[in-house]
Amino acid sequence: MLLTGKGKVPVMTFGELLNKYCDDVSSKKKGERWECIRIDKFQADKPSKVNVADLNKPLFADWRDRRLKEVSALSVLREWALLSHYLHIAVNEWEYLTENPMKGLKKPTGEPPRDRLITQDEIDGLCFALNFSNQLILTTITIRVGAAFMFAIETPMRAQEICNLTWLYVLGQVARINDSKTQAGIRNVPLSSRALAIIEQFKGLDEKYIFNISTSQLGSLFRKAKKLALVGGVHFHDSRATAITNLSKKLQILDLARMVGHKDLKMLMVYYRESASDIAVKLG
């Protein structure tokens, strides 16, 4: 690789640097496929054609403004985080740059976090659309998605965590998650009697995985169920907020933080929705 006269800055385009990141960094991650797909899409954009030595703040400001006209601010922020990390690696590990050219650039204002809770009527409608009940044998993928949805309502577990859950890591009333998105990476989730009853329905279905469904199957069939049940504006992930809100009425905040894997208690305070009058009643 040829280098310019500016220290270690290589004679390569930003697009080539992104390919290097895909080969050297993304290949070691669980999300390799997703990251490399994003990199491939970015190759068609203007900054990818520019030499690494010529990357600058106005170039990425122009990218930001153009993307905001095409997609939501939240989508731009996701892409922003990836691009900034690519440049961070180029600065701190490869030493191709002395400073991140996106540093100090004004980020777009993100959309407010989702605050959608799933009502009991919506839960009932989705279970009906997914043909799930406590009495049915879980023979079809659709029914198993219904079971996964109800399990999520009980446990605040994410879709991928549920799909990856194995019999080996359900010990008594605890499910161990080894690839959590939380900072610790591992957490133990206590299971309610309802959650245990759902798991019990799966015994004998598969030797390794409890729910025996993929995240793509779960997502596709859940979307179909929403249409059948005429439930709008709900994502599967909203089951997590619904579950945490329900659990906040039963658990102290430290216990809840441990269960869902949040180290920042401020993130959990939004789930404690009791009014001042409700708290006053508890005081007596």
Side-chain angles (χ1 to χ4, degrees), residues 171-226:
L171 306 172
Q173 288 188 264
V174 175
R176 179 182 174 89
I177 301 174
N178 293 316
D179 56 352
S180 172
K181 290 177 66 177
T182 59
Q183 290 183 359
I186 297 174
R187 79 176 192 275
N188 294 313
V189 180
L191 301 176
S192 66
S193 57
R194 179 76 183 95
L196 287 170
I198 292 172
I199 288 179
E200 188 70 23
Q201 291 179 268
F202 281 92
K203 284 190 173 178
L205 182 67
D206 185 82
E207 291 185 0
K208 182 177 181 180
Y209 293 103
I210 294 176
F211 289 87
N212 195 26
I213 52 176
S214 67
T215 52
S216 60
Q217 289 170 328
L218 186 150
S220 175
L221 291 171
F222 188 77
R223 287 190 292 271
K224 289 181 180 179
K226 287 196 302 180

Side-chain angles (χ1 to χ4, degrees), residues 250-268:
K250 303 176 183 179
L251 302 177
Q252 296 294 326
I253 190 167
L254 291 176
D255 293 331
L256 183 60
R258 184 175 182 181
M259 179 173 182
V260 302
H262 282 181
K263 290 189 175 181
D264 186 352
L265 298 185
K266 292 180 181 178
M267 296 176 66
L268 285 176

Side-chain angles (χ1 to χ4, degrees), residues 117-270:
L117 299 182
I118 310 174
T119 67
Q120 187 58 52
D121 285 344
E122 290 172 332
I123 291 172
D124 294 342
L126 288 165
C127 283
F128 182 80
L130 290 164
N131 200 27
F132 172 76
S133 75
N134 297 331
Q135 287 74 40
L136 287 175
I137 299 174
L138 308 178
T139 51
T140 70
I141 296 176
T142 299
I143 298 175
R144 297 203 293 274
V145 169
F149 171 61
M150 288 307 301
F151 190 77
I153 292 290
E154 284 292 316
T155 62
M157 288 173 63
R158 300 174 178 88
Q160 186 173 16
E161 293 170 346
I162 292 172
C163 292
N164 290 343
L165 190 62
T166 65
W167 291 109
L168 180 63
Y169 290 108
V170 175
L171 306 172
Q173 288 188 264
V174 175
R176 179 182 174 89
I177 301 174
N178 293 316
D179 56 352
S180 172
K181 290 177 66 177
T182 59
Q183 290 183 359
I186 297 174
R187 79 176 192 275
N188 294 313
V189 180
L191 301 176
S192 66
S193 57
R194 179 76 183 95
L196 287 170
I198 292 172
I199 288 179
E200 188 70 23
Q201 291 179 268
F202 281 92
K203 284 190 173 178
L205 182 67
D206 185 82
E207 291 185 0
K208 182 177 181 180
Y209 293 103
I210 294 176
F211 289 87
N212 195 26
I213 52 176
S214 67
T215 52
S216 60
Q217 289 170 328
L218 186 150
S220 175
L221 291 171
F222 188 77
R223 287 190 292 271
K224 289 181 180 179
K226 287 196 302 180
K227 291 181 180 180
L228 287 173
L230 301 178
V231 175
V234 168
H235 298 170
F236 186 91
H237 193 68
D238 293 329
S239 61
R240 180 168 166 84
T242 303
I244 295 174
T245 298
N246 293 339
L247 287 167
S248 71
K249 300 172 184 176
K250 303 176 183 179
L251 302 177
Q252 296 294 326
I253 190 167
L254 291 176
D255 293 331
L256 183 60
R258 184 175 182 181
M259 179 173 182
V260 302
H262 282 181
K263 290 189 175 181
D264 186 352
L265 298 185
K266 292 180 181 178
M267 296 176 66
L268 285 176
M269 287 305 296
V270 298

